[in-house]
């Protein structure tokens, strides 16, 4: 699909409107908000890992309210059951038949708060729906609708009563990022507004608008040299000596989809190596399984991706221009 100039302009304008809307609540974190909406439009899911009180829940709630659809919040606890997430089948004695009661997972934007507090059995209830967009209960498959985004939060410092997310589930999150503490100017603005009533953001786009953005994003142009660059980055993660298990094919596809969205959000219909670099850490780092000795030495997945970006040479602008001319002459 070829993207028209009108579609490109509408995409960038709508994306900016969404980011501006959420930035009214989450001050001074525009880059993270852009990453979050990139995950949404790329039909992926977002994991926010950060310290308490940094605005993780506020970001997820504001994203849900920016879309004029349905949103829900699931507070994950050790006693939460899979049926509490997906829904259960209940026998109706008056009608003499079973009736399905939907769980909170049936929403356009689902906030999975403190996801690592639930047991692995309950966490696994999300695997099917995050990958396929539907749940299967008592042998019957039900779609959750589109768009569908899971925004999960977890606290990295409090480990009592928590369960580490399985690697298979981490791989289903398109991005993992953190908000961090606001800078001094943003902190002052937060404190000045502390005596006011809580600000609620208004919906600025319909669910169908998000679906249309996702359709447009699929048409973003990725030159063969840029695709080769993504493949070389992924290969390099598998060869790094600090890594026991590198990025999967799902991770490479995620970086490809997210790069298309990121390029369109910044007014371009084609992806550049800089787009890939900007997303490499949030898209790839959480998919690495480090060697235990490297972890003991303080090596982080983010540092490994940083080294890979330095080691793998991106295609130059001249090489991409030569490739384009060659393609036009064929």
């Amino acid at each position: 699909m070829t993207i028209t100039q009108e579609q490109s302009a509408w995409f960038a304008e709508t994306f900016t409107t969404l980011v501006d809307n959420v930035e009214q609540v989450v001050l001074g974190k525009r880059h993270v908000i852009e990453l979050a909406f990139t995950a949404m439009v790329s039909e992926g899911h977002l994991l926010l890992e950060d310290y308490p009180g940094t605005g993780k829940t506020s970001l997820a709630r504001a994203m849900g309210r920016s879309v004029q659809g349905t949103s829900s919040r699931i507070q994950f606890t050790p006693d939460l059951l899979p049926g509490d997430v997906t829904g259960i089948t209940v026998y109706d004695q008056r009608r003499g038949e079973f009736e399905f009661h939907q769980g909170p997972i049936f929403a356009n934007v689902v906030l999975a708060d403190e996801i690592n507090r639930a047991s692995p059995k309950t966490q696994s209830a999300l695997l099917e729906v995050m990958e396929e967009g539907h749940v299967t209960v008592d042998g019957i498959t039900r779609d959750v609708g589109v768009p569908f985004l899971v925004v999960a939060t977890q606290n990295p410092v409090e480990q009592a009563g928590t369960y580490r997310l399985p690697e298979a589930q981490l791989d289903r999150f398109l991005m993992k990022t953190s908000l961090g503490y606001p800078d001094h100017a943003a902190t002052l603005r937060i404190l000045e507004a502390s005596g006011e009533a809580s600000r609620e953001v208004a919906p600025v786009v319909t669910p169908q608008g998000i679906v249309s953005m996702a359709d447009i994003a699929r048409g973003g142009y990725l030159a063969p040299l840029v695709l080769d660059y993504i493949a070389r980055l992924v290969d390099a993660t598998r060869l790094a000596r600090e890594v026991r298990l590198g990025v999967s094919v799902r991770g490479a596809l995620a970086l490809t989809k997210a790069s298309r969205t990121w390029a369109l959000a910044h007014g371009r219909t084609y992806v550049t190596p800089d787009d890939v670099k900007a997303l490499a850490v949030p898209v790839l780092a959480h998919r690495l399984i480090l060697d235990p000795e490297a972890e003991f030495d303080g090596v982080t997945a983010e540092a490994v991706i940083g080294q890979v970006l330095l080691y793998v040479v991106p295609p130059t602008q001249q090489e991409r221009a030569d490739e384009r001319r060659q393609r036009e002459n064929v």
Side-chain angles (χ1 to χ4, degrees), residues 63-76:
M63 289 180 67
R65 288 176 177 164
S66 294
V67 180
Q68 194 177 0
T70 56
S71 61
S72 64
R73 181 178 185 270
I74 308 171
Q75 181 63 56
F76 279 72

Side-chain angles (χ1 to χ4, degrees), residues 71-325:
S71 61
S72 64
R73 181 178 185 270
I74 308 171
Q75 181 63 56
F76 279 72
T77 56
D79 59 347
L80 193 74
L81 299 176
D84 297 328
V85 176
T86 60
I88 57 174
T89 303
V90 178
Y91 183 71
D92 189 330
Q93 292 184 340
R94 288 179 297 178
R95 295 193 300 172
E97 59 185 34
F98 288 93
E99 181 181 21
F100 179 68
H101 290 197
Q102 292 184 350
I105 201 66
F106 286 84
N108 296 124
V109 179
V110 179
L111 169 57
D113 216 357
E114 296 186 293
I115 190 173
N116 56 332
R117 289 199 175 278
S119 67
K121 181 178 181 179
T122 302
Q123 290 179 16
S124 67
L126 292 172
L127 292 178
E128 178 188 8
V129 69
M130 289 176 65
E131 184 70 16
E132 307 292 342
H134 56 239
V135 297
T136 302
V137 179
D138 294 335
I140 300 175
T141 300
R142 296 175 173 87
D143 292 329
V144 295
V146 290
F148 175 65
L149 170 73
V150 173
V151 182
T153 71
Q154 66 176 3
N155 178 358
V157 294
E158 188 178 352
Q159 300 303 321
T162 64
Y163 302 86
R164 183 173 179 175
L165 293 183
E167 281 73 16
Q169 185 166 347
L170 279 173
D171 204 32
R172 280 166 171 76
F173 285 101
L174 186 138
M175 287 189 196
K176 176 185 174 184
T177 188
S178 61
L179 284 161
Y181 293 119
D183 59 24
H184 182 71
T187 301
L188 283 177
R189 291 168 62 194
I190 293 169
L191 296 177
E192 288 169 356
S194 61
E196 302 174 3
S198 298
R199 178 179 295 177
E200 300 291 348
V201 298
V204 294
V205 67
T206 63
Q208 186 56 46
I210 298 294
V211 173
S212 298
M213 292 176 74
D215 290 340
I216 293 172
R218 293 191 196 99
Y221 178 68
L222 259 163
L225 279 174
V226 179
L227 281 173
D228 177 72
Y229 179 51
I230 293 174
R232 287 187 290 118
L233 286 174
V234 170
D235 288 341
T237 67
R238 300 167 184 165
L239 299 174
R241 67 175 184 274
E242 303 92 346
V243 175
R244 192 176 66 185
L245 190 64
V247 174
S248 65
V249 175
R250 183 187 284 121
L253 289 170
L255 184 56
T256 301
K257 292 178 68 174
S259 297
R260 286 189 168 108
T261 302
W262 189 260
L264 278 161
H266 291 82
R268 283 176 282 100
T269 58
Y270 58 91
V271 177
T272 69
D274 287 338
D275 296 323
V276 177
K277 287 182 178 181
L279 297 173
V281 171
V283 174
L284 302 182
H286 65 284
R287 304 173 192 272
L288 300 182
I289 300 179
L290 298 180
D291 183 87
E293 291 187 8
E295 281 191 288
F296 183 77
D297 291 338
V299 175
T300 64
E302 291 78 8
V304 172
I305 297 297
Q307 288 297 317
V308 166
L309 290 172
L310 291 174
Y311 172 75
V312 179
V313 179
T316 63
Q317 189 172 358
Q318 182 61 47
E319 287 174 325
R320 284 180 283 135
D322 292 342
E323 179 192 63
R324 186 165 55 251
R325 280 194 295 270

